[in-house]
């Protein structure tokens, strides 16, 4: 299917540009505050056209919570579906991504899903590796395979900044360690988690990762299997139900395609069997989602009638 052209993407970026004036760049991780709020970019990867892009596509940014879909896939491959979901649930929360509230009210304690911080920390704990470097090495390998870009690495300034300021995530970990949900040393786990969040990519990388998921876990060029199909489906379902945190319902109505956002301002989205999409714009709404990024996806989805429903 011929979906779009770079000229059309340029027009879409222009239409969404005024929304970069809204919202606020994340500052609770000090290094993220340095992002340029005016940047806006989109990349679309399809088998027919390869990668088309518009806007500030040269900009790099860190994955932040977008990494949660990749670590979920890896943890299921490593520890098995049953074991992973014995420690983390499958339900949306309606709470902010970093909330601790439901951990205590759930009996026995268990994070509601792998897209909130508590759930993602449990998931990273289950990835094979004796050290944080071993875990992160395996996460990077998966990202290299999905993007076909082995130059992708970690932004250590962002990783260190988050590690130093991750008081809430530390609290979540120690709470869950007490409840037997975390096996490894908490500081080792936090080091792995902050590094996975600090993997540095651009929109084209996001679009290609989206395309692998859209292509049922296979490389779009070689058809090599990177992620088993059933795991790619689990990941895409979580993107729909929990990918935009406690704004996932509204996003599912307005944009109507799977997506996962991160507080750096990136959003990875896709249309099953058709395309992967990456967008980037740093200013966020109060729930931690990129305002102009969502607008851009909304306009793109409605222009090409991409709704999966
Ligand atoms: N690294 C961030 C954190 O744990 C990721 C959060 C996000 O992108 N929503 O706070």
């Amino acid at each position: 299917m011929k979906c779009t052209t770079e000229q059309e993407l340029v027009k879409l970026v222009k239409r969404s540009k005024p929304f970069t004036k809204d919202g606020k760049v994340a500052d609770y991780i000090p290094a993220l505050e340095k992002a340029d709020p005016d940047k806006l970019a989109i990349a679309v990867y399809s088998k027919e056209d390869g990668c088309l892009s518009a806007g500030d596509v040269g900009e790099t940014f860190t994955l932040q919570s977008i990494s949660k879909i990749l670590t979920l896939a890896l943890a299921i491959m490593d520890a098995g579906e049953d074991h992973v979901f014995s420690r983390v649930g499958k339900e949306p929360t309606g709470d902010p991504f970093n909330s601790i509230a439901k951990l205590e009210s759930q009996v026995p304690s268990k994070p509601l899903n792998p897209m909130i911080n508590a759930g993602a920390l449990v998931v990273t704990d289950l990835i094979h590796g004796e050290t944080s470097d071993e875990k992160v090495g395996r996460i990077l390998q998966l990202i290299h395979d999905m993007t076909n870009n082995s130059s992708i690495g970690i932004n250590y300034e962002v990783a260190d900044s988050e590690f130093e300021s991750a008081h809430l995530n530390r609290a979540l970990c120690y709470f869950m360690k007490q409840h037997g949900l975390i096996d490894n040393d908490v500081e080792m786990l936090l080091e792995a988690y902050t590094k996975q969040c600090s993997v540095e990519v651009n929109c084209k990388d996001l679009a290609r990762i989206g395309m692998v998921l859209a292509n049922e876990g296979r490389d779009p060029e070689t058809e090599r299997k990177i992620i088993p199909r059933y795991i790619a489906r689990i990941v895409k379902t979580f993107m729909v139900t929990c990918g935009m945190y406690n704004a996932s319902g509204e996003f599912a109505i307005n944009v109507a395609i799977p997506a996962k956002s991160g507080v750096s301002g990136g959003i990875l989205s896709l249309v099953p069997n058709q395309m992967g999409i990456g967008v980037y714009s740093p200013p966020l709404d109060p729930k931690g989602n990129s305002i102009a990024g969502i607008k851009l996806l909304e306009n793109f989805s409605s222009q090409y009638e991409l709704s999966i429903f």
Side-chain angles (χ1 to χ4, degrees):
M1 182 190 86
K2 183 94 186 153
C3 181
T4 188
T5 60
E6 290 205 324
Q7 290 93 308
E8 286 300 321
L9 292 180
V10 168
K11 281 192 216 156
L12 280 159
V13 166
K14 209 167 159 200
R15 241 174 95 196
S16 307
K17 191 82 179 179
F19 293 93
T20 59
K21 299 283 171 244
D22 299 338
K24 207 170 157 300
V25 174
D27 59 3
Y28 75 98
I29 299 171
L32 291 184
E33 211 180 357
K34 294 184 179 168
D36 182 344
D38 292 333
K39 300 296 183 198
L40 179 63
I42 183 168
V44 177
Y45 193 108
S46 67
K47 283 192 202 177
E48 294 75 16
D49 297 326
C51 196
L52 304 175
S53 60
D56 303 298
V57 274
E59 282 297 298
T60 59
F61 50 90
T62 52
L63 283 176
Q64 298 303 330
S65 282
I66 298 169
S67 65
K68 293 169 180 172
I69 55 176
L70 306 170
T71 49
L72 175 63
L74 192 54
I76 300 176
M77 288 192 267
D78 280 359
E81 187 179 349
D82 291 347
H83 189 50
V84 169
F85 292 112
S86 72
R87 298 217 172 166
V88 63
K90 296 176 181 165
E91 305 304 334
T93 65
D95 296 324
F97 65 86
N98 54 5
S99 176
I100 197 164
K102 293 223 168 69
L103 272 185
E104 197 170 28
S105 56
Q106 288 286 110
V107 181
S109 186
K110 179 170 157 175
L112 275 166
N113 70 67
M115 300 295 117
I116 54 173
N117 285 8
L121 288 158
V122 164
V123 162
T124 298
D125 187 56
L126 293 173
I127 290 172
H128 287 167
E130 297 289 310
T131 62
S132 61
D133 282 347
E134 274 178 40
K135 282 183 192 283
V136 174
R138 305 191 60 254
I139 295 166
L140 273 175
Q141 186 57 55
L142 177 65
I143 292 170
H144 293 168
D145 288 346
M146 293 181 87
T147 55
N148 197 23
N149 178 1
S150 56
S151 72
I152 290 175
I154 291 161
N155 179 326
Y156 286 99
E157 188 194 347
V158 174
D160 292 347
S161 174
E162 180 171 354
F163 188 79
E164 294 304 321
S165 57
H167 311 302
L168 195 45
N169 284 336
R170 262 193 185 81
L172 291 171
C173 283
Y174 280 109
F175 186 95
M176 293 191 291
K177 177 102 179 155
Q178 180 71 37
H179 286 275
L181 288 163
I182 284 176
D183 297 328
N184 289 284
D185 174 69
V186 166
E187 297 303 314
M188 179 283 237
L189 171 59
L190 269 173
E191 201 177 310
Y193 174 78
T194 49
K195 284 182 180 161
Q196 85 181 44
C197 288
S198 304
V199 171
E200 194 162 44
V201 295
N202 60 34
C203 277
K204 293 181 180 182
D205 298 317
L206 292 189
R208 200 177 194 283
I209 294 172
M211 184 66 229
V212 173
L213 292 169
N215 198 35
E216 309 267 35
R218 294 186 311 273
D219 186 292
E221 287 162 76
T222 63
E223 294 298 329
R224 178 173 80 90
K225 186 166 92 181
I226 301 173
I227 294 173
R229 183 166 78 160
Y230 81 96
I231 297 180
R233 287 186 175 179
I234 291 172
V235 167
K236 284 180 278 191
T237 309
F238 275 119
M239 290 170 77
V240 171
T241 57
C242 316
M244 304 299 283
Y245 321 121
N246 46 335
S248 298
E250 191 178 350
F251 187 90
I253 289 170
N254 293 344
V255 189
I257 51 178
K260 180 75 205 86
S261 66
V263 288
S264 53
I267 305 176
L268 185 156
S269 190
L270 62 92
V271 182
N273 302 309
Q274 288 185 41
M275 68 183 88
I277 307 163
V279 299
Y280 173 63
S281 166
L284 309 177
D285 64 21
K287 291 181 175 172
N289 295 316
S290 167
I291 294 179
I294 290 182
K295 211 62 206 169
L296 186 47
L297 284 172
E298 195 178 318
N299 290 334
F300 184 63
S301 175
S302 82
Q303 179 166 336
Y304 293 101
E305 296 186 21
L306 301 178
S307 171
I308 63 166
F309 300 109

